[in-house]
Amino acid sequence: MDRTPKGSVLPLLVTGAAGSVGAVGRTVVEILRQRDLPVRAMVRRDDERAEALRATGAEVVVGDLTRAGDVADALSGCGRMYFGMGVSARYLEAAMTVAAVARAYGRLEAFVNMSQLTVSEMDLTSDSESVQQRHHWLVEQVLGWSGLPVIQIRPTVFMENPLFRVGFSSIAKGGSIRLPFGQAKTSPVAAGDVAAVVAEILADPSRHTGRIYELTGPRSEDISAMAEEVSTALDQPVSYTDVGLQEWIDDDLRPLGLPDHVFQHISTMARLHAENRYDRKADGVEQVTGRPPTGVAEYVRENPGLLSP
């Protein structure tokens, strides 16, 4: 573990630090501050989440990732940065803006980019993925051309994703995980594990530059097997209820009232799961952190709120 005194390290810029799904950026800030490293956290609004970041000792700057001037101000004087942004219709514009500013800045030792594992299966003519996934693929291409010292982070679906929040919430109501995956397998990853990978790379990027890290949970399994893990963790019977994709979209996903762009992304992920596109297992978490990723049973025990209806 790198224990470099903060005085000898330029500030580390963490974007998306207020976070939403899984709060990766916020957790990255917390981990880096625990290691006494200087952190500049960029947020969209100065609210209670920004105050919580300040309480860690991080410098907080407020700005819009689609505004080059805001990004340049946030990046000034920093030596490494993490770019992460939630699922958004403005993601592509923000990513292009950040890449352009970082390239013009020319002083970064590391540019850690949050991508998606789906990108590894895509090419120029792929057309079955979501708009968000397509944008992640495009951003990886641009960063590859940029000359920046890029490290790509490709997590699979997060355990905190609405897919699993909705699917697991049905345990409290009916004792089963309700999802439209059929017999397909998946290997969700905990956002905390993803944040730990990002923080480790930012703390000491020397051996990571130019690398791609694919992050999954410890095993790929179908939802019936996952239900058995949850049953053991809760010490109560938990089964799997397989529902039709359109039924699940209409009855379970649509009531969440998600923005159109997010809705299209999550419903596409559900379809790709049913097509067994998420049957992947990678060792990126252990490669970087030296410990295995969190399993479903452990995650459920640590996050009982996941089961709330």
Side-chain angles (χ1 to χ4, degrees):
M1 299 281 282
D2 179 276
R3 298 291 180 185
T4 308
K6 65 180 180 180
S8 62
V9 178
L10 293 174
L12 314 178
L13 177 63
V14 177
T15 71
S20 53
V21 175
V24 169
R26 183 182 69 216
T27 306
V28 169
V29 171
E30 292 169 353
I31 295 171
L32 292 173
R33 289 302 303 138
Q34 288 166 5
R35 296 175 67 161
D36 202 29
L37 288 165
V39 179
R40 183 176 297 162
M42 186 175 182
V43 300
R44 183 70 179 85
R45 286 178 290 276
D46 198 341
D47 55 19
E48 66 279 0
R49 295 176 299 177
E51 282 303 313
L53 292 167
R54 289 190 182 97
T56 69
E59 175 190 0
V60 175
V61 295
V62 180
D64 186 333
L65 288 169
T66 67
R67 296 176 61 88
D70 289 359
V71 177
D73 288 345
L75 189 56
S76 179
C78 292
R80 309 163 194 166
M81 77 167 292
Y82 161 68
F83 172 67
M85 183 178 180
V87 177
S88 168
R90 303 187 74 192
Y91 166 78
L92 184 60
E93 180 184 4
M96 295 299 95
T97 301
V98 170
V101 171
R103 188 172 186 273
Y105 177 61
R107 296 177 57 196
L108 282 178
E109 180 186 1
F111 184 110
V112 183
N113 178 56
M114 181 61 66
S115 188
Q116 293 189 16
L117 186 53
T118 318
V119 167
S120 65
E121 302 174 335
M122 296 172 64
D123 58 27
L124 281 170
T125 59
S126 299
D127 61 4
S128 64
E129 295 80 14
S130 72
V131 173
Q132 181 74 25
Q133 288 165 333
R134 185 66 181 172
H135 287 174
H136 275 282
W137 185 88
L138 288 168
V139 169
E140 282 207 19
Q141 306 312 301
V142 171
L143 289 175
W145 308 329
S146 69
L148 290 166
V150 177
I151 300 100
Q152 300 285 4
I153 308 299
R154 292 178 177 172
T156 186
V157 59
F158 283 16
M159 289 187 188
E160 294 83 355
N161 190 282
L163 277 173
F164 290 100
R165 288 203 166 273
V166 172
F168 279 54
S169 68
S170 64
I171 293 174
K173 294 179 286 187
S176 69
I177 301 172
R178 178 181 162 90
L179 284 168
F181 293 179
Q183 302 304 309
K185 295 181 178 182
T186 187
S187 54
V189 66
D193 287 339
V194 178
V197 167
V198 172
E200 185 66 33
I201 292 170
L202 284 172
D204 184 9
S206 58
R207 66 186 178 90
H208 302 291
T209 304
R211 299 286 300 275
I212 297 172
Y213 291 105
E214 299 187 340
L215 314 181
T216 72
R219 65 191 61 85
S220 185
E221 59 189 354
D222 61 27
I223 306 303
S224 292
M226 194 176 291
E228 291 181 11
E229 283 199 62
V230 175
S231 180
T232 299
L234 300 178
D235 194 25
Q236 70 179 63
V238 176
S239 61
Y240 169 42
T241 299
D242 181 30
V243 294
L245 176 61
Q246 194 59 52
E247 177 186 350
W248 185 84
I249 289 173
D250 292 339
D251 296 346
D252 297 62
L253 185 63
R254 199 176 299 279
L256 297 182
L258 300 171
D260 289 347
H261 180 86
V262 180
F263 178 83
Q264 193 265 347
H265 177 58
I266 302 300
S267 58
T268 300
M269 291 179 74
R271 173 176 56 78
L272 295 178
H273 265 90
E275 295 171 1
N276 211 36
R277 288 276 299 275
Y278 282 80
D279 182 10
R280 302 285 296 278
K281 182 183 179 302
D283 60 359
V285 172
E286 189 161 9
Q287 274 186 300
V288 177
T289 68
R291 59 169 177 79
T294 304
V296 172
E298 180 184 354
Y299 184 81
V300 168
R301 282 192 294 266
E302 294 176 354
N303 297 272
L306 183 68
L307 310 179
S308 301

